[in-house]
């Protein structure tokens, strides 16, 4: 087994004062097997001047300037099929990595093997100048869920760390099982995904191109194949007043998002249900026994009950649109049983009336 290649993807829009540090932090990793793709989303500030300073800095670096802003998810989907790494880190242009970030994440991926699809590292929160605000993002990584790493499970894989660092990694890492629902991870930059799972779970671009990648991919990939958290600060999360998610530091038991950001995240994550429902036969082919449990993973991070989520008109529209695909994948009896369990008898009857009315309307308009 050889050490895998990483694809770092830096997606920037008008973070000219920060993007240079993000790029430098990738190029300064003490793990050399990587590529770095910098995508500028039609910035109108000093971003392109800052990025151009790196154009000939490293042959592992690729830079692309877009004529329109595709947002974070749209930008990532724009490059996903051109990435050559087995592992992927989507770097927010206002954050930066510590030099040991890649080595610790890659070692944990190697040690865990096929038990995980994504790792999440600890972060230090810093202000706009880079000065430390908090030493760790405690809310996310001090989870009661999960199980500790077992060193005996990690024999026969490449050793990228010293023995003492590897033992530290094991002590500070937690395995999150695929159906350990909730939000257990650090934000954005702190996460490293397996590319094969990102491609498997990719959303429909015109539905979610404004979605934050971590809000969509983290619960999805963990539900598919598990995740692991590293309670060691490996990157910096910058709070500067223009963050999409939070504008204040986190603290133990304090989730620092605004109500508006939480509502947007909740709405964006509905795309996970659309992906699963629209490609149900594909997912059932590999997750036949857990398909509906994966479907349940979407509402839990937002504290929404399964009943309320599956009676949400938007979710019901998605399920109605792809009802035939669900039946083709799971069979009519199983689909009926699973939806009734989630919606309740009354909600399910209302939903099925809408399905039948929709089919009747389609038949009337058919040539």
């Amino acid at each position: 087994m050889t050490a895998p290649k990483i694809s770092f993807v830096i997606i920037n829009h008008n973070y000219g004062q920060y993007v240079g540090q993000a790029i430098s932090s990738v190029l300064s990793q003490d793990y050399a097997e990587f590529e770095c793709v910098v995508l500028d989303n039609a910035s109108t500030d000093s971003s392109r001047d800052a990025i151009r300073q790196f154009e000939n800095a490293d042959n592992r670096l690729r830079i692309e300037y877009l004529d329109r802003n595709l947002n974070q998810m749209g930008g990532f989907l724009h490059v996903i099929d051109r990435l050559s790494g087995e592992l992927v880190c989507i770097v927010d242009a206002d954050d930066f990595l510590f030099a040991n970030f890649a080595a610790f994440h890659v070692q944990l991926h190697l040690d865990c093997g096929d038990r995980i699809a994504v790792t999440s590292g600890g972060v230090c929160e810093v202000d706009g100048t880079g000065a430390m605000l908090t030493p760790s993002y405690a809310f996310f990584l001090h989870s009661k869920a999960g199980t500790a790493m077992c060193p005996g499970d990690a024999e026969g894989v490449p050793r990228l760390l010293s023995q003492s660092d590897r033992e530290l990694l094991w002590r500070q890492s937690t395995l999150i099982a695929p159906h350990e629902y909730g939000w257990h991870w650090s934000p954005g930059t702190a996460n490293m995904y397996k590319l094969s799972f990102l491609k498997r779970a990719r959303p429909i671009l015109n539905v979610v191109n404004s979605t934050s990648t971590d809000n969509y991919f983290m619960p999805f990939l963990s539900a598919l194949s598990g995740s692991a958290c590293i309670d060691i600060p490996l990157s910096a999360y910058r709070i500067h007043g223009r963050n999409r998610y939070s504008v204040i530091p986190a603290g133990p038991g304090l989730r620092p998002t605004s109500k508006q950001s939480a509502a947007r995240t909740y709405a964006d994550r509905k795309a996970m249900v659309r992906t699963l429902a629209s490609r149900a036969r594909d997912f059932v082919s590999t997750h036949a026994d857990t398909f509906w449990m994966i479907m349940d993973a979407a509402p839990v991070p937002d504290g929404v009950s399964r009943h309320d989520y599956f009676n949400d008109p938007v979710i019901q529209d998605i399920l109605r649109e792809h009802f035939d695909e669900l039946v083709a994948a799971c069979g009519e009896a199983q689909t009926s049983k699973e939806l009734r369990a989630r919606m309740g008898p009354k909600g399910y009857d209302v939903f099925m009336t809408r399905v039948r009315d929709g089919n009747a309307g389609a038949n009337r308009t058919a040539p």
Side-chain angles (χ1 to χ4, degrees):
M1 181 187 296
T2 59
K5 182 177 181 179
I6 305 169
S7 292
F8 289 103
V9 182
I10 301 175
I11 302 173
N12 175 73
H13 177 69
N14 286 348
Y15 277 158
Q17 68 193 104
Y18 306 127
V19 65
Q21 186 174 12
I23 297 171
S24 293
S25 73
V26 172
L27 299 181
S28 300
Q29 290 298 295
D30 56 22
Y31 181 85
E33 191 60 32
F34 68 83
E35 64 176 352
C36 180
V37 179
V38 179
L39 189 71
D40 184 72
N41 260 328
S43 291
T44 57
D45 67 348
S46 61
S47 290
R48 297 198 172 187
D49 290 336
I51 293 170
R52 287 191 183 101
Q53 297 181 30
F54 294 90
E55 285 184 344
N56 298 308
D58 196 300
N59 59 12
R60 296 169 296 183
L61 183 65
R62 303 202 317 267
I63 299 171
E64 185 172 350
Y65 303 102
L66 299 181
D67 294 330
R68 63 189 182 94
N69 183 7
L70 299 180
N71 297 304
Q72 189 184 52
M73 180 65 84
F76 179 65
L77 296 179
H78 177 72
V79 302
I80 185 173
D81 288 319
R82 290 180 278 141
L83 301 179
S84 60
E86 298 169 54
L87 300 172
V88 176
C89 176
I90 304 169
V91 180
D92 292 334
D94 54 339
D95 296 341
F96 57 92
L97 312 178
F98 302 152
N100 59 353
F101 175 93
F104 271 77
H105 276 273
V106 173
Q107 186 71 71
L108 190 55
H109 271 277
L110 289 170
D111 289 348
C112 292
D114 59 7
R115 290 181 291 174
I116 61 169
V118 58
T119 52
S120 184
V123 302
C124 293
E125 293 176 304
V126 301
D127 66 13
T129 68
M132 184 181 295
L133 296 171
T134 63
S136 66
Y137 213 70
F139 176 85
F140 293 96
L141 294 179
H142 288 272
S143 173
K144 295 180 181 178
T147 57
M149 274 290 296
C150 178
D153 295 340
E155 297 300 324
V157 301
R159 297 194 176 192
L160 310 176
L161 304 175
S162 67
Q163 185 60 28
S164 60
D165 279 348
R166 198 177 187 202
E167 290 173 358
L168 173 66
L169 175 65
W170 289 337
R171 287 196 305 272
Q172 297 299 110
S173 295
T174 303
L175 296 176
I176 307 297
H179 308 300
E180 191 72 61
Y181 297 142
W183 188 279
H184 312 280
W185 315 286
S186 293
T189 301
N191 305 308
M192 186 174 289
Y193 311 86
K194 287 181 178 173
L195 178 61
S196 59
F197 282 92
L198 290 172
K199 289 184 173 181
R200 183 85 189 280
R202 73 170 78 191
I204 301 169
L205 175 59
N206 62 1
V207 173
V208 295
N209 65 352
S210 64
T211 303
S212 297
T213 52
D214 59 334
N215 282 333
Y216 175 84
F217 283 122
M218 289 303 294
F220 202 158
L221 268 62
S222 189
L224 286 173
S225 192
S227 58
C229 295
I230 310 168
D231 193 8
I232 303 170
L234 298 173
S235 62
Y237 179 70
R238 196 188 303 268
I239 296 178
H240 47 74
R242 293 191 295 128
N243 303 75
R244 175 183 173 91
Y245 180 71
S246 63
V247 294
I248 60 173
L254 173 65
R255 197 165 187 167
T257 183
S258 66
K259 289 184 178 180
Q260 294 83 358
S261 295
R264 184 170 57 234
T265 295
Y266 170 56
D268 289 345
R269 203 172 285 126
K270 292 176 180 178
M272 180 175 165
V273 173
R274 185 182 299 277
T275 299
L276 286 161
S278 65
R279 304 206 299 266
R281 279 174 286 188
D282 174 34
F283 285 103
V284 169
S285 70
T286 56
H287 293 77
D289 295 333
T290 57
F291 173 77
W292 290 97
M293 295 176 71
I294 296 170
M295 190 84 80
D296 291 340
V300 177
D302 303 302
V304 180
S305 72
R306 191 172 74 164
H307 177 272
D308 289 347
Y309 193 77
F310 283 93
N311 280 287
D312 184 312
V314 176
I315 293 298
Q316 291 207 350
D317 281 344
I318 293 170
L319 296 173
R320 180 176 55 81
E321 179 184 354
H322 300 291
F323 185 74
D324 289 344
E325 173 68 12
L326 289 168
V327 170
C330 304
E332 187 171 353
Q334 182 71 11
T335 301
S336 174
K337 175 185 174 183
E338 298 290 352
L339 292 177
R340 187 182 295 274
R342 285 156 178 79
M343 298 174 184
K346 183 177 179 180
Y348 175 74
D349 289 344
V350 171
F351 170 76
M352 287 307 301
T353 298
R354 297 180 66 198
V355 170
R356 288 190 290 269
D357 289 348
N359 290 340
N363 291 334
R364 285 195 298 270
T365 58

